[in-house]
Amino acid sequence: MEDNITEFDYKSEYTTLNLGPTHPATHGIFQNILTMDGEIIVDTEQTCGYIHRAFEKIAEHRPFYQITPLTDRLNYCSSPINNMGWHMTVEKLLGVDMPKRVDYMRVIIMELARIADHLICNSVIGVDVGALTGFTYVFQWREKIYDIFEEVCGARLTTNIGRIGGMERDFSPACIKKIREFLQEFPRILREFTNLLERNRIFMDRTVGVGAISTERALKYGLTGPNLRATGLDYDVRVMSPYSSYNDFDFVIPVGINGDTYDRFMVRQQEMWESHKIITQALENLPEGKFFAEVPEFYLPPKEEVYNKMEALIWHFKIVMGEADVPVGEVYHSVEGGNGELGFYLVSDGGRAAYRLHFRRPSFIYYQAYPEMIKGSTLSDAIVTMSSMNVIAGELDA
Amino acid sequence: MNEVNNAYLLKELQEQFMDAIHSVEEPYGMLTIEIDRVQIVPLLNFLYQHPVIQMQFLTDLCGLHFPDNKGKELSVVYHLHSFTKNIRLRIKCYMPIEAPQINSITSVYEASNWQERETYDFFGIEFVGHPNLKRILNVDEMDYFPMRKEYPLEDQTRTDKDDKYFGR
């Protein structure tokens, strides 16, 4: 009988648990096949691809301006950042410089999008530890940000905001008013949200030390954005390779220490304050001038001119039919997205569509670290860890 | 101390890998080298451990297909980044479509695991030594590599299809 005890197969006692693909706690379509020993996670395998839409293939068949709506659907919590990133990639390929006003307008919109993204992510961490109040409360303020987007471009979630070569229209007085109102009111809201969670005993007990990762492992796994900064490394694309005049603004990069769920939450909280600071500076110093650059091959002329002027009509036709010439070349451009370094690798052979366009989707790369972060923890901790990583299904699967 | 720029980076690489480097370009300010595919792992290890360059972050890995480029149809492109010196490097490896094998770099960067799976999934490039090389975004039963150029998107104007079940 002694032998039987030593040969007892512990593995047969493990339970397999399917978390997903459509599970309310995963906030998106992911499947995690967990091997559980009681409530402890022993091993996990991730499957993805449930909402794969072949964006990279579609992008090879479309003129450049039609790729912007595809980028909307990557990280749909901060789609303006994706749009701007794509515009800037094409502008880099064409070698055109934007007027300062465009840069500042873009910065305002991108930082608003960052606040919207972080509000969702942080309040969802609250939801997953049982605090629904904060989520419903700050969600109204995400709606206010979307009101501003609506004022700029007419859309709310998948914005398709801006154009290659500038913005589609100038900020209207109503839009400026809405941004000012937001800047004035938002600190109060964020402080209230802070009071609700940041030093909340229950929240801290649930998040401190949960799902931690060290800086070395984070770098090996290619983490970027708030997840990397929570481990203590201050890598931010806005500072390392400034784009869109980010070097004009005064802001700091918040970093964490332990790389756990609480640090990721805190880094996002601080980043919202920094974004608020950047928007204030950009709005105060918004330069006068044009809201678009002189790239007639890509920037749609105003409608009145199209109806009345021959040249504008020709450009309009050429742009819409995708007849504009592009230089041959390859370019990599990255922006600091809501959840990390969002990169665009564009190879152009001079044709009307991209020869190859590859999206560096941050969550696709850092989601690989998830098994290592949750091994040995409980199921409830795994769920909090996942929401704190800000993995967006649309970006994961492209 | 020398300033780390593209020229310095290239000099260091050429000292070590003179024979493996096939071409050097600098499109839009990013140093781009084409190297022999068998040298990829030693090269990445060299850059990773280099005391000055410290290129320790794999930004991106993706595949490309050039059907007319005989003998060099498929390519893998690596984007590396050194955080300490803030310099980026692009490395390209070409391979024939009949023998699409290249060594996996998962031993250097864990981040390449899924990216190599994605590249395999879409281009059929086999990463030798990869721990778990299987499809990632497409279904497992798929028997072709959809990002290759011979597979066009479906013609949106075709009329020979019965769409009545799709509400069209």
Side-chain angles (χ1 to χ4, degrees), chain A residues 5-268:
Chain A
I5 291 168
T6 47
E7 280 173 22
F8 181 76
D9 184 10
Y10 286 98
K11 285 197 173 138
S12 66
E13 296 290 297
Y14 290 158
T15 326
T16 304
L17 184 73
N18 272 303
L19 185 68
T22 51
H23 189 281
T26 56
H27 311 288
I29 311 170
F30 320 103
Q31 188 186 21
N32 277 290
I33 304 163
L34 308 171
T35 309
M36 312 274 299
D37 179 10
E39 216 192 330
I40 304 294
I41 295 161
V42 181
D43 198 10
T44 168
E45 197 191 337
Q46 304 139 295
T47 348
C48 58
Y50 285 95
I51 57 164
H52 172 56
R53 292 143 297 176
F55 283 163
E56 290 176 4
K57 189 78 183 176
I58 298 172
E60 290 176 8
H61 297 262
R62 284 193 178 185
F64 285 170
Y65 74 97
Q66 288 184 0
I67 294 174
T68 321
L70 299 180
T71 63
D72 279 337
R73 284 144 183 87
L74 290 172
N75 181 351
Y76 39 73
C77 286
S78 55
S79 38
I81 302 182
N82 312 348
N83 300 156
M84 305 289 178
W86 166 244
H87 298 326
M88 283 183 254
T89 311
V90 179
E91 284 153 12
K92 197 168 169 182
L93 180 77
L94 300 173
V96 288
D97 288 322
M98 288 299 113
K100 274 277 176 197
R101 188 176 176 84
V102 177
D103 281 355
Y104 278 51
M105 285 166 83
R106 283 180 172 175
V107 165
I108 291 173
I109 290 166
M110 283 193 285
E111 292 306 317
L112 284 171
R114 193 180 317 282
I115 292 178
D117 179 280
H118 288 0
L119 275 184
I120 291 303
C121 181
N122 271 359
S123 57
V124 162
I125 302 175
V127 171
D128 285 344
V129 299
L132 193 69
T133 323
F135 177 70
T136 47
Y137 191 53
V138 299
F139 219 84
Q140 301 173 30
W141 288 84
R142 190 182 82 143
E143 291 302 307
K144 297 226 188 292
I145 294 174
Y146 282 5
D147 285 345
I148 298 170
F149 293 163
E150 202 175 359
E151 203 64 54
V152 179
C153 72
R156 294 170 69 86
L157 184 73
T158 49
T159 47
N160 193 9
I161 205 166
R163 295 279 177 271
I164 296 165
M167 299 293 294
E168 65 267 54
R169 61 178 75 82
D170 209 347
F171 284 165
S172 65
C175 173
I176 300 267
K177 187 164 158 278
K178 276 187 175 164
I179 300 173
R180 282 197 197 287
E181 276 171 12
F182 178 82
L183 287 176
Q184 208 173 6
E185 284 294 306
F186 184 65
R188 184 174 62 82
I189 307 302
L190 190 54
R191 256 195 299 277
E192 250 177 299
F193 184 65
T194 305
N195 291 341
L196 185 70
L197 290 178
E198 266 186 27
R199 305 298 296 172
N200 183 319
R201 191 69 251 165
I202 304 169
F203 183 76
M204 287 177 77
D205 281 347
R206 282 298 308 279
T207 51
V208 174
V210 169
I213 189 165
S214 68
T215 311
E216 291 89 275
R217 298 301 296 158
L219 283 177
K220 280 266 187 185
Y221 273 122
L223 265 69
T224 42
N227 295 340
L228 178 64
R229 290 193 282 276
T231 69
L233 192 94
D234 59 341
Y235 173 62
D236 189 319
V237 188
R238 290 177 291 174
V239 177
M240 281 284 245
S241 6
Y243 51 91
S244 193
S245 301
Y246 261 111
N247 35 9
D248 291 5
F249 304 108
D250 174 30
F251 64 103
V252 294
I253 314 174
V255 290
I257 298 166
N258 303 319
D260 56 7
T261 303
Y262 186 68
D263 280 9
R264 285 191 282 273
F265 172 84
M266 289 301 282
V267 165
R268 288 202 188 90

Side-chain angles (χ1 to χ4, degrees), chain B residues 79-96:
Chain B
H79 284 85
L80 301 178
H81 194 176
S82 161
F83 283 169
T84 48
K85 296 291 179 281
N86 196 13
I87 189 166
R88 290 179 192 266
L89 171 70
R90 186 185 289 136
I91 301 170
K92 292 178 176 180
C93 296
Y94 287 92
M95 63 205 77

